[in-house]
Amino acid sequence: MGLVRKLRLALPALLVGALLAGCKAPEPGPTGTAAVVQATQTAAASATAAAPTVTPEPTATPIPLLVTVNGHDIPLAVYDQELARCQKGLTAAALDPATCPATVYQTLLEQAVVEQAAAAAGLTTDPAAVDAALETITTELGGPSALAAWLQVNLYTPAELRAALAAEQVRAKMMAQVTAAVPPVAEQVHARDILLTDADTAQEVLNLLAGGADFALLALNYSRDLGSRAAGGDLGWFARGTLTQPAVEAAAFALEPGQTSVVIESSLGFHIVQVLERDPARPLSPAAAQTLRAAAYTAWIEAQLAAAHIVHHTGG
């Protein structure tokens, strides 16, 4: 971003002196008009000699901004750079880059509130850890020359990559602090599910179950869930907030062991859920714990954004 110099104009002392030197001073002891002229010239010369030299100071041109989050400015140039990286990456992966503008904008907002919260919590970066991360990346890519090529392709300078790694390290610390409250155990149910594509078929299967048909056999013959069909519809143990279909999860937690739900509709189709077991405090699997931590972190970020003072600038 170029700088525009805004000069404060003043008459240089040298020029004033030259002008005064070109005027002949009156004889000693003048009166009337001559006295006034002499007094004026003397005052002007004294003022010129006493006036300090004025050095013009450069004034920065205002940097175009995308958004201001709690007083922290995000320059439009930062957005443009991240947008270019996103578009290049998705295009190279044969994915649609049209999602990049909204994704990059939201990511910058989230990063701002996370980093502000991390600063308030006293979380800082560890230069040694950043060095280690950079060394790992360099090794995985195949050495310094490969890293240099990667930087060029991904539109990073070495300093920008290091700054990005440092910022990511701080955000990871913030996430660990936020998600530390997620307990290692939770109430869980062990359930199974039959997924059908239409309500009529689902009702027919439910009627077969009511008539004494075997759930696992019906799941094997009818369920459209390829992930659980071979296991008789068994979904395993799961806690609240870990299933991709909230309607199925809610139905399962509303049942006691041995009970079967009515037909439940979700975005995937129509379900029949049966609960096999229930445990009020079962240890979470690593995958379930990670899902709950991610959900807790997302909820925390949403709360931070909701409370933030965000000013959207023209052109953002």
Side-chain angles (χ1 to χ4, degrees):
M1 182 67 64
L3 295 179
V4 177
R5 294 184 178 274
K6 183 179 180 182
L7 302 180
R8 293 183 295 180
L9 300 179
L11 186 62
L14 183 60
L15 179 57
V16 173
L19 290 175
L20 293 177
C23 299
K24 182 180 179 181
E27 296 297 324
T31 57
T33 302
V36 174
V37 171
Q38 182 181 23
T40 302
Q41 291 174 343
T42 301
S46 299
T48 300
T53 301
V54 177
T55 302
E57 297 180 359
T59 302
T61 300
I63 298 175
L65 300 178
L66 173 73
V67 65
T68 299
V69 183
N70 293 325
H72 171 74
D73 294 332
I74 300 178
L76 187 59
V78 171
Y79 168 81
D80 289 339
Q81 187 177 44
E82 292 300 330
L83 180 61
R85 288 172 182 154
C86 177
Q87 291 171 333
K88 190 168 186 177
L90 290 188
T91 300
L95 298 174
D96 185 6
T99 59
C100 285
T103 299
V104 170
Y105 188 83
Q106 182 66 21
T107 298
L108 289 175
L109 289 181
E110 293 179 1
Q111 288 178 351
V113 295
V114 171
E115 290 168 9
Q116 289 166 8
L123 303 179
T124 59
T125 186
D126 178 2
V130 175
D131 289 339
L134 187 57
E135 183 177 348
T136 298
I137 292 173
T138 303
T139 300
E140 291 178 349
L141 288 174
S145 59
L147 174 63
W150 183 92
L151 290 172
Q152 184 175 12
V153 169
N154 291 277
L155 309 178
Y156 279 98
T157 65
E160 287 171 344
L161 176 59
R162 184 176 182 83
L165 291 174
E168 183 57 36
Q169 182 187 104
V170 171
R171 290 194 293 268
K173 290 181 179 181
M174 191 71 248
M175 180 178 183
Q177 187 175 99
V178 169
T179 60
V182 175
V185 300
E187 181 183 16
Q188 298 182 57
V189 294
H190 177 198
R192 51 189 179 181
D193 171 50
I194 301 174
L195 171 63
L196 295 310
T197 56
D198 64 272
D200 291 338
T201 304
Q203 188 60 50
E204 290 175 7
V205 172
L206 186 62
N207 292 339
L208 291 173
L209 285 170
D214 182 71
F215 192 102
L217 185 59
L218 289 175
L220 184 62
N221 292 331
Y222 287 93
S223 184
R224 312 313 300 170
D225 183 355
L226 302 180
S228 67
R229 183 173 66 188
D234 198 339
L235 299 176
W237 288 90
F238 55 90
R240 287 185 174 88
T242 59
L243 286 192
T244 59
Q245 298 300 313
V248 174
E249 182 178 289
F253 275 94
L255 300 172
E256 294 299 326
Q259 292 183 332
T260 302
S261 72
V262 296
V263 175
I264 305 297
E265 185 176 2
S266 78
S267 62
L268 298 178
F270 299 86
H271 305 258
I272 300 170
V273 181
Q274 186 178 83
V275 169
L276 301 175
E277 303 174 82
R278 195 174 187 126
D279 189 334
R282 183 179 180 85
L284 292 166
S285 69
Q290 178 59 31
T291 297
L292 292 180
R293 284 194 291 268
Y297 188 58
T298 298
W300 176 81
I301 288 179
E302 291 174 350
Q304 296 298 306
L305 288 173
H309 178 61
I310 300 175
V311 179
H312 304 274
H313 299 284
T314 301

